[in-house]
Each structure stands twice: as structure tokens, then as C-alpha cells.
């Protein structure tokens, strides 16, 4: 029904029977779902055996292409370890051996990156430069049997293993492994160092002063060589939020790394420096260069001693016995490789779009230097694994990416990045700083010393290397500066740059420190020390009987934090939105509260009086005899405005005392909910009893039931702030969970006491913030919904308590939500209608509705989708850009520049939640989904699946039904996300129709049409597509439509013509003359 039958392929693969079930959506493209066994070459009794040969060939072809791309991301030693049964997921040390280790650092990449970052096609040009430089470099390394273990930005760590070639069956016993006939074998270790030395000399000869073709920028290498015992470790294994595959990191450790950390800085551009250990092995094989006065035990390499050894002989002998290609990963090990490749990169490899990962983008970078852990000790590997897993959990909890983990002479080095696809957020600088604070707690727990540098800026993010060996990395001035700040940070201290401090949200405050000078910068660099903002204001009832809501001072939705007067701003938003008379949200709320919206309740001087209730809630309302109200909706739709009005109305009119508990948007904030619940509960006791102590701990001592006396020390520590701040808790913290559960039990017990004296309204809120993936908030949501279950159980038992729950999407299986559904008190907030939007714009701008231009109202309605937050942001941006001028005099019209709405580039408003959040949503899509979305923005009207396939997997280009199935899966995901919609086929008079009679009914159904009605997504998505690409998509779709419409008839006529016997005219003439 989706146009599949319109494609006619030569030999379409078809899945039959139960075997088709293994083509689960989670497994496409080219991958079986997790619960299906992988397709093995030997043909075992698995799901793959139930596939037809054509389907099997398709999968093998797709997986084979993926395998070829993925092999470049893992070193040879890792693959050898697998075939030696040393690569189990729980095994840390996967290789112990000896050999030469080379560290090659390139100069000139920073200048190259800075110059190209200013160009519109800078990422493409830089990618070309990197490829042209690293391709011959890695070819030379492989030729000498070197194994590129790690890319450290523009530097390489290379391992030349010590292997005894004389033990190979093919060894002839005449020419020794070093390749020089007539010379004695020098041994495996010396041979490995000789190969490393020969490789370094040839690299300098071929690549010194490499011309990039960019403004006379040239690249040079300076190299350090060491040797000795080494270990290869794999650590990690925590699952990132965007995938189901555990992420592992491998690293090399050993004494040679200490040697090269000294040798490499001693070498200038174009030079190679050998450690004393390496020099001792090859001093009779090479010629020494200039003497090093500062370190006479280290030696510079000038050239080979060509009277004994030459490049061709060493290289030839090395390649003669190189058997590494026999131990490469095969198709059956594809899922093993995934553990070592970032999920976003692997998906691009699967889709055949790896070149699209190279880009210039704004990111926040964290460099961490850790010391105090010796991975070569007996317990070192296990401690490294535990540390890595803890850092991964903290990083993934804030939806960041751990890009590198290295070990050198100074200890451990971590590189973490926030802002890499698909984990892109508007508040990535804040996430990076909060994660760094959590890392500090991790290092404290392990009794290690850590230094942290955080920077924000535009950098190159993409693959670095060649088709044979590459890694995904980040390069640029921002990355270098992060390393410099890390080096200058005090133990367990964090230093940030100016951009990070400027782009962080108000939940973090920064103290400016004295500027410092760093390598590569002419002027001193401003630096800052971040600190969590202390929210000392009370939550709930205050001493002057007013209500302080949690969102006044905590960044629950990130909208108001950092403004000068959060209270006044929040109250003004309640008035602006809740005064919209026909808004479904306020209408439903007032049905439960009774009467009309009263703006006087939200005055600055309104307080709760100790008097009898002024009015009663309507009969059957949750606020009359107790019940649950649930308000669900995305950020900005008005949850908090409605909640503020409900609480204010209930407190002032019904004398219901409010108790608050909020969680989010940061991970592990259950302790904050516990603190808010306890403090706001104590505030209610003080409201009822003026003699109650003002100190929360002292007040708790007076009212705490004796059954919880043993929990008092734990709760005292929590209320006094002696525990770790909520933002810095580990995502999975059993101690934190125990504190929370105890606090909840105490609060529930105190509610049973309070309800005998006064009605109580408990407000619980969970906010996702800018988090993109469900796994990030899964544990916190479990805690939140368990709390709501406890509250619902109490409400059912005690009739004088009401609950108000605020969330993005309610859990329909939860008891509290079920109660709300049964009593018709579940509010699912949607965008404002066009009439609502006009009235809201009038309230927000402070003008009459008639003064709002019609074109402005239509523009706002289309772009903002009726989201009040988006409406405010759009109006503010129009006024800031001076497209819109508002004169608030009575009856004065709004001044809108002529044609202004046609020239506005909405996609440039990345700093707003409307555009920034949309960009992040699109960045989180898989490659095929992103491609489908971008192609959809090219069509103004309805389109079909074959229209999209014409540019991505055309039948005329040899695509198969499975390629179309992948695209179909992508469109279904976009429909589920409300990005595109299924629509009816165009009518005969529509632009899509030719005006002729409709086609006869097809035996397999009609073609399904789609359309993108979401103007915001269309606008932002279209900005990601080049004009040439838009024209190409439309052109290909038109060609495909014409071929489908006209080609069958023409082919029928041609077939009929060919069926007739054809006699050439000259034969026909001759035949007539003969007759």
C-alpha cells in the first residue's frame, strides 16, 4: 500500500515464512535484531537459515560493505586477540607482549583547522587534507608491520610487535627477518625497533613539509620511539543512551609510553628521537643525528646505516612474513566491532554515508588528566575498568560522548565531548560543566587526583586517517585550549573558558580567575572556576505566608533561570496565558476549581490567611474530597502556569496547604525531591503552629513519628546540605535511593498527620529538560512514578489530600494516572488554536487584538505550532531584530516591516528553545531517517515513498525491495514523531494530478501519500539542505513519476511492435520485383 508494488526489479529478494521475522526493524539495515542470531557463514540452525538465497545475498552484501568500512576503526592487535579468545567482554587485559612503540605528532593542524573553520566548506576541505596526509602515512606504517593503536587528535600511537619470524613455516632460513643477506639475526625485539626506525625515516623523507594547499600551511612530524613490555587493555562496557550496544575503549600501557613521552618533545619537526632502550638495540644499524645536550641518553635518528640495512630489504622482509590479514574480523564478528565504534559513526557506515560525519560544529570539550593509578600493577587493570565505567555512566547520564581514553607518563587522559550527533543539546556547555563536577566526585571516590579543563567552540568533528585505519575525533583550537586549561587546573579542580561561562544556564555561577598564558596563544586567556548556584530560597510556604514555587529558582524547564526577577516573570506568564478565555487548559482547570479565572490571585501581595475557606471546590472535583490531577505536555505548553494557578487558587480559596517535590531536568535528582518534600512539609507545620522552630531539622525533630527516629541522622544530613549535591549524584546510587525512600515514607506519615488539621495539596513534577533519549531518564522516572503510586495510595486512603502531577507524558499503567483518567482529571496539553494564539499575543504584547497584523498572526500560528513558549520566543526575536515594533498606547497598531516575514531566517535562532530544540531533535535521528526528513522538506505538497526513493534508493539504480523497506521504516518513525503525516491521495484537480481519469484500482491497494505540515521542522530541516540538493530531489522525483506513468505503455507498444515480423524495406522491394 505504500508504493512497493510500483517498483519492478529484475530479481527482487523475497523473505518467506517465519524467516522474515528476523528482519526486525531494530536490525535494519543489514543487521538482525538483538534477539535473532547473527547470520553465520557455516549455515547453522538459526533465523538466517530460513531466508531465501536472494535475501541472504542481500544481507551479506549489506553487511559486507559495513564490515569493510568498520574494519578501519579497529587495530590489528584487537582482531588477533579475538581469535586468540582474549576479547571476551569481561576480560580487561587482551594482550601482553613486547615491541617498539612510536608516538608521531603533527605540527600545523591547528593553523589548518583555524583557517578552514572560517570557510563554508571548511569541513570538506579539512577532511580532504587529512585524508591526503594520513593515507600515505598509514600505508607506510602498515608496510613496516606497524599497528596504529590510537589517534590522539593529529597524533598517532603505533605499536610494532616483537614477533619471531623464524618460527613461521614459510621462513627459508637463508635471509634473516631484517632482510639483509649475510648478516646475523638480531632478535625479535631489535628487529621490531629496526622496523620502527626505518618506518620513521621513510615517513620524514616522504611527508616532511607536506603541502596542504591551504594558504601555505604545511604539515610536519616529530616522532619519539621507545620499546619494552606493553599491555593492551579494553575497558568500559557501559551502554550509551542512543544505542543498545555496550561501548568499549582500548588502550596501550607500559614502560615504552614513558619513554616516548620524553623522546617526542626532544625531536624537532622532521626528526625522530629514540629512547636509551631503543637506541641500545639499533645503534649498530642506524646513523645518529645531532647530539642532544639536554638529554645525552636520548638519541636523534639521522638515517639507516645503508652499508648494512636498506629500506627495500627491511620492508620486503617485513611484508614477506606478515600474516595479520589472516586474522581479520569476518562477517560473523560484525557485532563485536560495534563495541569499539561510536554508534553514530557505525550507523553512517551502515548507511554508506560515512563522509557526512565530517563537519564543523559547536561543541563543549572536557579534558581530564588523572594520576594515582598504575595500570601495570596487579590491581591496576581492574581499577582502570571501574574508573572508566564510572566516568562512562556519569558522561552518558548527561548525554555526552567519551571520545578517548589514553595512558601516558603523566597518568590517564580522558577526552569527552558534548554536542556530537546524535547527542546534541542547546545546553551542552552546562551539561559539560555538570558532568565535570560529577567526575570530580568519581575521582574522590577512587582516591585519585584529577584535573579538568572545559571549553566551548567551533571545531572539526569527523574521521581522521585513511581507508585502512581511521578514528572519529575532534580537532581545533577549542580542543587544544581544553588540554591547556586541564594542565593548569589545581588537583580536583575545574577550569573553564569564557565561551563556556557565557553559554551556560543560570544553574551554574562562575568566578573569574586571573588570566593565564598558554601555549599557542599570544595574549593571556580569561579563565573561570564553575560552582553550583545555591538555591537558598524556601520552597513552599514562606514566613510571610506566600508561596515560593520550585520553578522560581530551580532550572526545571530552563526558561527562567538567571533572570533578574523570576517571581515577577512567572506571575506575568500565568496572567498572560491563563487569561486566554477559550484555552482548553484553563477551561478544564476552572471546571475543577469552580468559577472563572481571577487575575487578582496572582498579585505580588497575595498571601494565605489563617481563616476559614473562602469557597468550596465543586462537588466531585479532586480538590473537594481528595483526588489526583495529572497535567501532561511538552515543555512550554503551560504546565507550570496552570499548576501555579491551581496551587494559588486552592491555597487562597480552599485553604489547601501546598507541598512540593520536583525532579529533573538533570539526572539523579531524587534527593532534591526529598529535600523539597521535607522542607515544604515543615513549612506547612509552621503555618499551622507559630511556635514551630524556623530551622527545618529542629522542626522535623518535633513532628517526626517515633517509628522513624533511627532515620533522623540520615535526614538531618540531607536537610543540612552535608550530602553530595543532587546534581552530582551518580546515576545509579543505592545510598541516594535509600535516603529518598526513607524521606518519602516520613513525608507520607506526616501527611497523614497534617490532613487531620488542614487539606493538603501535593505537587509532584518530573521534567526531561533537553534530554533526547528515554534511557537517560529511565531510572529517575521509575523513582518518580513510584512516588506517585505512594501518593495515590495515600489519597485513596485519606480523603483530605489531593495530588497534582506534572509530566511530559503520563504513565498510563500508573495507579495515580488511572485514578485521574477515571475521574476525568487528566489534562493532555496541546498547542493553542489560532483564536487562542491571537488572544495570547495580545496579552503578551500588551495591545488590543485588532492591533495585531493578520500576516503576523498567521506567521506565528504556522511556525510556533501554538506552543506559548515558542510564541514568546518568536515575538521577542522579531522585536530584537527590529522586524516588529510595538507601541503600547491605547489603540496603537503594531508596526511590522514590509516583507519582513519573508526574509526571516528562523534556522538562525539556535539560541531559542524553539529552533535549538528542533535542531537537536533532528540531529538525534538515524542517518536514513535524517535523509528522509531532509528530502521531505523539498516537497511543498503530498509525496510518496517512491518520490523519496528516487534520490536515495532508486529502482533504476539497482536498489532492491529491502532498500525501499529501510526507507519505509524511516518514514514510519517520522510519522510517529509527528514530523510528517499520512494524507489522502491528491484529487483530480490538484497540482499532483494530471487531470485525467484516476488510475484503475491496483490489485495490491493504492499508493500512500505523505505531507510535511510541520512548518517549524520544514523550515529548520530545509536549512540543512543545499539548494543543489533540493533541485536534485525534485528532479529525480519528477523523472521517476514520468517513467512510472509513461514507460509501461511505451514498453507495451514496443513489445507489440517486436512481436510482428519485420522485413527491411530493401528486402521488401526485391521481393516485390521477384514476384
Amino acid at each position: 500500500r505504500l508504493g512497493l508494488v510500483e517498483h519492478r526489479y529484475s530479481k527482487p529478494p523475497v523473505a518467506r515464512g517465519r524467516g522474515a521475522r528476523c528482519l526486525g526493524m531494530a536490525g535494519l539495515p543489514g543487521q538482525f535484531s538483538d534477539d535473532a542470531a547473527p547470520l553465520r557463514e557455516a549455515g547453522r540452525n538459526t533465523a538466517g537459515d530460513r531466508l531465501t538465497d536472494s535475501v541472504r545475498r542481500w544481507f551479506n552484501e549489506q553487511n559486507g560493505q559495513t564490515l569493510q568500512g568498520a574494519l578501519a576503526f579497529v587495530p590489528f592487535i584487537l582482531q588477533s586477540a579475538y581469535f586468540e579468545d582474549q576479547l571476551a567482554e569481561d576480560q580487561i587485559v587482551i594482550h601482553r607482549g613486547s615491541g617498539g612503540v612510536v608516538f608521531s605528532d603533527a605540527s600545523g593542524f591547528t593553523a589548518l583547522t583555524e583557517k578552514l573553520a572560517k570557510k563554508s566548506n571548511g569541513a570538506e576541505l579539512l577532511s580532504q587534507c587529512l585524508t591526503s596526509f594520513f593515507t600515505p602515512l598509514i600505508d607506510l606504517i602498515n608496510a613496516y608491520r606497524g599497528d596504529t593503536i590510537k589517534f590522539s587528535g593529529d597524533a598517532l600511537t603505533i605499536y610494532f610487535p616483537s614477533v619471531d619470524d623464524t618460527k613461521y613455516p614459510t621462513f627459508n632460513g637463508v635471509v634473516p627477518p631484517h632482510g639483509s643477506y649475510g648478516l646475523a639475526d638480531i632478535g625479535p625485539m631489535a628487529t621490531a625497533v629496526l622496523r620502527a626506525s626505518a618506518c620513521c625515516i621513510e615517513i620524514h623523507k616522504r611527508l616532511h613539509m607536506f603541502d596542504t594547499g591551504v594558504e601555505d600551511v604545511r604539515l610536519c612530524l616529530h616522532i619519539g620511539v621507545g620499546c619494552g613490555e606493553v599491555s593492551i587493555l579494553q575497558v568500559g562496557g557501559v551502554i550509551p543512551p542512543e544505542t543498545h550496544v555496550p561501548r568499549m575503549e582500548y588502550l596501550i600501557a607500559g614502560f615504552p609510553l614513558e619513554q616516548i613521552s620524553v623522546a617526542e618533545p626532544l625531536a624537532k619537526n622532521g626528526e625522530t628521537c629514540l629512547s636509551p632502550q631503543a637506541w641500545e638495540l639499533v645503534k649498530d644499524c642506524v646513523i645518529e643525528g645531532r647530539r642532544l645536550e639536554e638529554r645525552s641518553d636520548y638519541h636523534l635518528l639521522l638515517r639507516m646505516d645503508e652499508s648494512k640495512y636498506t629500506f627495500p630489504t627491511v620492508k620486503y622482509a617485513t611484508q614477506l612474513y606478515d600474516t595479520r590479514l589472516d586474522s581479520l574480523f569476518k562477517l560473523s564478528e560484525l557485532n563485536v566491532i560495534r563495541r569499539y565504534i561510536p554508534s553514530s559513526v557505525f550507523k553512517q557506515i551502515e548507511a554508506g554515508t560515512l563522509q557526512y560525519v565530517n563537519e564543523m560544529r559547536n561543541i563543549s570539550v572536557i579534558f581530564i588528566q588523572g594520576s594515582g593509578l598504575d595500570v601495570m600493577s596487579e590491581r591496576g587493570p581492574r581499577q582502570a575498568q571501574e574508573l572508566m565505567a564510572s566516568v562512562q555512566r556519569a558522561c552518558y547520564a548527561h548525554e555526552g560522548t567519551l571520545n578517548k581514553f589514553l595512558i601516558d607518563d603523566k597518568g590517564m587522559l580522558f577526552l569527552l565531548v558534548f554536542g556530537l550527533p546524535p547527542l546534541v543539546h542547546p545546553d551542552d556547555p552546562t551539561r559539560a560543566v555538570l558532568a565535570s563536577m560529577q567526575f570530580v566526585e568519581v575521582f574522590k571516590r577512587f582516591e585519585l587526583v584529577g584535573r579538568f579543563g572545559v571549553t566551548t567552540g567551533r571545531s572539526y568533528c569527523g574521521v581522521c586517517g585513511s581507508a585502512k585505519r581511521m578514528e572519529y575525533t575532534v580537532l581545533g583550537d577549542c580542543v587544544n585550549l581544553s588540554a591547556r586549561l586541564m594542565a593548569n587546573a589545581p588537583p580536583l579542580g575545574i577550569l573553564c573558558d569564557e565561551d563556556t561561562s557565557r553559554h551556560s544556564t543560570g544553574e551554574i555561577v562562575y568566578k573569574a580567575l586571573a588570566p593565564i598564558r598558554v601555549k599557542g596563544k599570544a595574549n593571556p586567556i580569561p579563565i573561570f572556576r564553575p560552582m553550583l548556584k545555591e538555591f537558598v530560597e524556601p520552597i513552599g510556604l514562606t514566613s510571610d505566608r506566600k508561596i515560593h514555587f520550585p520553578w522560581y529558582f530551580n532550572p526545571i524547564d530552563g526558561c527562567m533561570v538567571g533572570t533578574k526577577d523570576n517571581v515577577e516573570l512567572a506571575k506575568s506568564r500565568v496572567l498572560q496565558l491563563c487569561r486566554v478565555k477559550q484555552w482548553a487548559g484553563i477551561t478544564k482547570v476552572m471546571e475543577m476549581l469552580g468559577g472563572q479565572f481571577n487575575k487578582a490571585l496572582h498579585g505580588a501581595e497575595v498571601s494565605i490567611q489563617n481563616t476559614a475557606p473562602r469557597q468550596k471546590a465543586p462537588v466531585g472535583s479532586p480538590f473537594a474530597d481528595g483526588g489526583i490531577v495529572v497535567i501532561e505536555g511538552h515543555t512550554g505548553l503551560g504546565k507550570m502556569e496552570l499548576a501555579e494557578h491551581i496551587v494559588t487558587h486552592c491555597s487562597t480559596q480552599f485553604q489547601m496547604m501546598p507541598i512540593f517535590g520536583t525532579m529533573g531536568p538533570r539526572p539523579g535528582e531524587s534527593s532534591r525531591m526529598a529535600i523539597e518534600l521535607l522542607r515544604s512539609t515543615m513549612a506547612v507545620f509552621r503555618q499551622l503552629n507559630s511556635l514551630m522552630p524556623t530551622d527545618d531539622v529542629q522542626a522535623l525533630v518535633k513532628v517526626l513519628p517515633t517509628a522513624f527516629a533511627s532515620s533522623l541522622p540520615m535526614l538531618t544530613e540531607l536537610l543540612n546540605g552535608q550530602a553530595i549535591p543532587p546534581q552530582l549524584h551518580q546515576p545509579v546510587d543505592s545510598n541516594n535511593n535509600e535516603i529518598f525512600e526513607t524521606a518519602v515514607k516520613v513525608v507520607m506519615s506526616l501527611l497523614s498527620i497534617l490532613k487531620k488539621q488542614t487539606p493538603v495539596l501535593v505537587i509532584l513534577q518530573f521534567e526531561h529538560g533537553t534530554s533526547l533519549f528515554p534511557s537517560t531518564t529511565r531510572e529517575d522516572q521509575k523513582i518518580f512514578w513510584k512516588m506517585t503510586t505512594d501518593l495515590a495510595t495515600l489519597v485513596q486512603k485519606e480523603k483530605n489530600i489531593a495530588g497534582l502531577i506534572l509530566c511530559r507524558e503520563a504513565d498510563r499503567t500508573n495507579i495515580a494516572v488511572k485514578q485521574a483518567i477515571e475521574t476525568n482529571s487528566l489534562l493532555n496539553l496541546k498547542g493553542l488554536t489560532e483564536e487562542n494564539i491571537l488572544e495570547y499575543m495580545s496579552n503578551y504584547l500588551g495591545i488590543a487584538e485588532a492591533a495585531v497584523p493578520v500576516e503576523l498572526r498567521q506567521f506565528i500560528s504556522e511556525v510556533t505550532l501554538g506552543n506559548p513558549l515558542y510564541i514568546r520566543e518568536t515575538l521577542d526575536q522579531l522585536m530584537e531584530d527590529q522586524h516588529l515594533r510595538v507601541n503600547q498606547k491605547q489603540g496603537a497598531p503594531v508596526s511590522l516591516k514590509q516583507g519582513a516575514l519573508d526574509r526571516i531566517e528562523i534556522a538562525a535562532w539556535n539560541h531559542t528553545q524553539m529552533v535549538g530544540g528542533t535542531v537537536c531533535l533532528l540531529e538525534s535521528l538515524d542517518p536514513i531517517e535524517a535523509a528522509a526528513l531532509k528530502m521531505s522538506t523539498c516537497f511543498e505538497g503530498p509525496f510518496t515513498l517512491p518520490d523519496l526513493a528516487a534520490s536515495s534508493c532508486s529502482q533504476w539504480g539497482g536498489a532492491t525491495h529491502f532498500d525501499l523497506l529501510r526507507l519505509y521504516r524511516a518514514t514510519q518513525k517520522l510519522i510517529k514523531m509527528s514530523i510528517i503525516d499520512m494524507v489522502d491521495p491528491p484529487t483530480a484537480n490538484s497540482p499532483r494530478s494530471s487531470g485525467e481519469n484516476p488510475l484503475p484500482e491496483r490489485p495490491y491497494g493504492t499508493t500512500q501519500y505523505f505531507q510535511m505540515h510541520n512548518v517549524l521542522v520544514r523550515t529548520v530541516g530545509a536549512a540543512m539542505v543545499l539548494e543543489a540538493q533540493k533541485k536534485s530531489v525534485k528532479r529525480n522525483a519528477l523523472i521517476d513519476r514520468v517513467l512510472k506513468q509513461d514507460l509501461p505503455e511505451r514498453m507495451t507498444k514496443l513489445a507489440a511492435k517486436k512481436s510482428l515480423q519485420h522485413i527491411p524495406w530493401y528486402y521488401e522491394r526485391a521481393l516485390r520485383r521477384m514476384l
Side-chain angles (χ1 to χ4, degrees), residues 862-875:
E862 291 178 352
V863 171
T864 64
L865 310 178
N867 187 307
L869 171 60
Y870 296 175
I871 294 172
R872 295 195 301 268
E873 289 183 332
T874 303
L875 292 173

PDB file of all heavy atoms in Angstrom, residues 862-875:
ATOM      1  N   GLU A 862       1.720  29.380  12.221  1.00  0.00           N
ATOM      2  CA  GLU A 862       2.340  28.316  11.427  1.00  0.00           C
ATOM      3  C   GLU A 862       3.660  27.854  12.028  1.00  0.00           C
ATOM      4  O   GLU A 862       3.955  26.655  12.066  1.00  0.00           O
ATOM      5  CB  GLU A 862       2.566  28.809   9.996  1.00  0.00           C
ATOM      6  CG  GLU A 862       1.292  29.003   9.200  1.00  0.00           C
ATOM      7  CD  GLU A 862       1.578  29.533   7.803  1.00  0.00           C
ATOM      8  OE1 GLU A 862       2.756  29.875   7.539  1.00  0.00           O
ATOM      9  OE2 GLU A 862       0.652  29.621   6.987  1.00  0.00           O
ATOM     10  N   VAL A 863       4.464  28.805  12.510  1.00  0.00           N
ATOM     11  CA  VAL A 863       5.825  28.483  12.931  1.00  0.00           C
ATOM     12  C   VAL A 863       5.867  27.891  14.327  1.00  0.00           C
ATOM     13  O   VAL A 863       6.613  26.934  14.590  1.00  0.00           O
ATOM     14  CB  VAL A 863       6.713  29.742  12.853  1.00  0.00           C
ATOM     15  CG1 VAL A 863       8.071  29.487  13.490  1.00  0.00           C
ATOM     16  CG2 VAL A 863       6.887  30.173  11.409  1.00  0.00           C
ATOM     17  N   THR A 864       5.078  28.415  15.239  1.00  0.00           N
ATOM     18  CA  THR A 864       5.209  28.043  16.656  1.00  0.00           C
ATOM     19  C   THR A 864       4.400  26.822  17.040  1.00  0.00           C
ATOM     20  O   THR A 864       4.556  26.308  18.148  1.00  0.00           O
ATOM     21  CB  THR A 864       4.785  29.211  17.550  1.00  0.00           C
ATOM     22  OG1 THR A 864       3.382  29.477  17.330  1.00  0.00           O
ATOM     23  CG2 THR A 864       5.581  30.464  17.234  1.00  0.00           C
ATOM     24  N   LEU A 865       3.498  26.370  16.164  1.00  0.00           N
ATOM     25  CA  LEU A 865       2.649  25.209  16.453  1.00  0.00           C
ATOM     26  C   LEU A 865       1.769  25.437  17.669  1.00  0.00           C
ATOM     27  O   LEU A 865       1.309  24.485  18.306  1.00  0.00           O
ATOM     28  CB  LEU A 865       3.510  23.950  16.670  1.00  0.00           C
ATOM     29  CG  LEU A 865       4.553  23.658  15.593  1.00  0.00           C
ATOM     30  CD1 LEU A 865       5.360  22.433  15.966  1.00  0.00           C
ATOM     31  CD2 LEU A 865       3.896  23.479  14.235  1.00  0.00           C
ATOM     32  N   GLY A 866       1.555  26.703  18.018  1.00  0.00           N
ATOM     33  CA  GLY A 866       0.701  27.027  19.140  1.00  0.00           C
ATOM     34  C   GLY A 866       1.346  26.866  20.502  1.00  0.00           C
ATOM     35  O   GLY A 866       0.666  26.957  21.532  1.00  0.00           O
ATOM     36  N   ASN A 867       2.652  26.633  20.558  1.00  0.00           N
ATOM     37  CA  ASN A 867       3.347  26.487  21.837  1.00  0.00           C
ATOM     38  C   ASN A 867       3.585  27.876  22.437  1.00  0.00           C
ATOM     39  O   ASN A 867       4.259  28.709  21.830  1.00  0.00           O
ATOM     40  CB  ASN A 867       4.684  25.778  21.624  1.00  0.00           C
ATOM     41  CG  ASN A 867       5.391  25.439  22.916  1.00  0.00           C
ATOM     42  OD1 ASN A 867       5.603  26.292  23.765  1.00  0.00           O
ATOM     43  ND2 ASN A 867       5.785  24.181  23.056  1.00  0.00           N
ATOM     44  N   PRO A 868       3.035  28.165  23.622  1.00  0.00           N
ATOM     45  CA  PRO A 868       3.193  29.508  24.201  1.00  0.00           C
ATOM     46  C   PRO A 868       4.648  29.939  24.363  1.00  0.00           C
ATOM     47  O   PRO A 868       4.973  31.114  24.146  1.00  0.00           O
ATOM     48  CB  PRO A 868       2.503  29.384  25.562  1.00  0.00           C
ATOM     49  CG  PRO A 868       1.499  28.291  25.377  1.00  0.00           C
ATOM     50  CD  PRO A 868       2.141  27.322  24.442  1.00  0.00           C
ATOM     51  N   LEU A 869       5.518  29.001  24.754  1.00  0.00           N
ATOM     52  CA  LEU A 869       6.939  29.338  24.879  1.00  0.00           C
ATOM     53  C   LEU A 869       7.500  29.756  23.533  1.00  0.00           C
ATOM     54  O   LEU A 869       8.226  30.761  23.424  1.00  0.00           O
ATOM     55  CB  LEU A 869       7.713  28.154  25.434  1.00  0.00           C
ATOM     56  CG  LEU A 869       9.246  28.256  25.422  1.00  0.00           C
ATOM     57  CD1 LEU A 869       9.711  29.445  26.244  1.00  0.00           C
ATOM     58  CD2 LEU A 869       9.879  26.971  25.928  1.00  0.00           C
ATOM     59  N   TYR A 870       7.184  29.029  22.476  1.00  0.00           N
ATOM     60  CA  TYR A 870       7.675  29.360  21.144  1.00  0.00           C
ATOM     61  C   TYR A 870       7.112  30.697  20.667  1.00  0.00           C
ATOM     62  O   TYR A 870       7.805  31.464  19.975  1.00  0.00           O
ATOM     63  CB  TYR A 870       7.301  28.265  20.145  1.00  0.00           C
ATOM     64  CG  TYR A 870       7.940  26.922  20.408  1.00  0.00           C
ATOM     65  CD1 TYR A 870       7.604  25.808  19.647  1.00  0.00           C
ATOM     66  CD2 TYR A 870       8.892  26.756  21.414  1.00  0.00           C
ATOM     67  CE1 TYR A 870       8.189  24.575  19.869  1.00  0.00           C
ATOM     68  CE2 TYR A 870       9.479  25.532  21.646  1.00  0.00           C
ATOM     69  CZ  TYR A 870       9.123  24.434  20.877  1.00  0.00           C
ATOM     70  OH  TYR A 870       9.702  23.213  21.102  1.00  0.00           O
ATOM     71  N   ILE A 871       5.858  30.994  21.032  1.00  0.00           N
ATOM     72  CA  ILE A 871       5.256  32.275  20.652  1.00  0.00           C
ATOM     73  C   ILE A 871       6.032  33.416  21.297  1.00  0.00           C
ATOM     74  O   ILE A 871       6.365  34.418  20.644  1.00  0.00           O
ATOM     75  CB  ILE A 871       3.769  32.312  21.060  1.00  0.00           C
ATOM     76  CG1 ILE A 871       2.976  31.275  20.252  1.00  0.00           C
ATOM     77  CG2 ILE A 871       3.185  33.713  20.853  1.00  0.00           C
ATOM     78  CD1 ILE A 871       1.548  31.106  20.703  1.00  0.00           C
ATOM     79  N   ARG A 872       6.335  33.280  22.563  1.00  0.00           N
ATOM     80  CA  ARG A 872       7.092  34.334  23.258  1.00  0.00           C
ATOM     81  C   ARG A 872       8.472  34.507  22.628  1.00  0.00           C
ATOM     82  O   ARG A 872       8.934  35.638  22.396  1.00  0.00           O
ATOM     83  CB  ARG A 872       7.237  33.982  24.747  1.00  0.00           C
ATOM     84  CG  ARG A 872       5.949  33.941  25.521  1.00  0.00           C
ATOM     85  CD  ARG A 872       6.188  33.959  27.021  1.00  0.00           C
ATOM     86  NE  ARG A 872       6.995  32.848  27.482  1.00  0.00           N
ATOM     87  CZ  ARG A 872       6.503  31.686  27.905  1.00  0.00           C
ATOM     88  NH1 ARG A 872       5.190  31.494  27.894  1.00  0.00           N
ATOM     89  NH2 ARG A 872       7.296  30.727  28.339  1.00  0.00           N
ATOM     90  N   GLU A 873       9.155  33.384  22.370  1.00  0.00           N
ATOM     91  CA  GLU A 873      10.492  33.469  21.781  1.00  0.00           C
ATOM     92  C   GLU A 873      10.450  34.123  20.402  1.00  0.00           C
ATOM     93  O   GLU A 873      11.320  34.937  20.071  1.00  0.00           O
ATOM     94  CB  GLU A 873      11.101  32.070  21.683  1.00  0.00           C
ATOM     95  CG  GLU A 873      11.493  31.464  23.014  1.00  0.00           C
ATOM     96  CD  GLU A 873      12.154  30.112  22.863  1.00  0.00           C
ATOM     97  OE1 GLU A 873      11.862  29.410  21.887  1.00  0.00           O
ATOM     98  OE2 GLU A 873      12.968  29.747  23.736  1.00  0.00           O
ATOM     99  N   THR A 874       9.453  33.772  19.601  1.00  0.00           N
ATOM    100  CA  THR A 874       9.365  34.334  18.249  1.00  0.00           C
ATOM    101  C   THR A 874       9.098  35.827  18.299  1.00  0.00           C
ATOM    102  O   THR A 874       9.742  36.610  17.570  1.00  0.00           O
ATOM    103  CB  THR A 874       8.255  33.621  17.456  1.00  0.00           C
ATOM    104  OG1 THR A 874       8.521  32.220  17.432  1.00  0.00           O
ATOM    105  CG2 THR A 874       8.198  34.137  16.029  1.00  0.00           C
ATOM    106  N   LEU A 875       8.172  36.254  19.131  1.00  0.00           N
ATOM    107  CA  LEU A 875       7.886  37.689  19.246  1.00  0.00           C
ATOM    108  C   LEU A 875       9.093  38.455  19.781  1.00  0.00           C
ATOM    109  O   LEU A 875       9.425  39.536  19.277  1.00  0.00           O
ATOM    110  CB  LEU A 875       6.671  37.904  20.158  1.00  0.00           C
ATOM    111  CG  LEU A 875       5.321  37.416  19.607  1.00  0.00           C
ATOM    112  CD1 LEU A 875       4.232  37.522  20.672  1.00  0.00           C
ATOM    113  CD2 LEU A 875       4.927  38.193  18.366  1.00  0.00           C
TER     114      LEU A 875
END
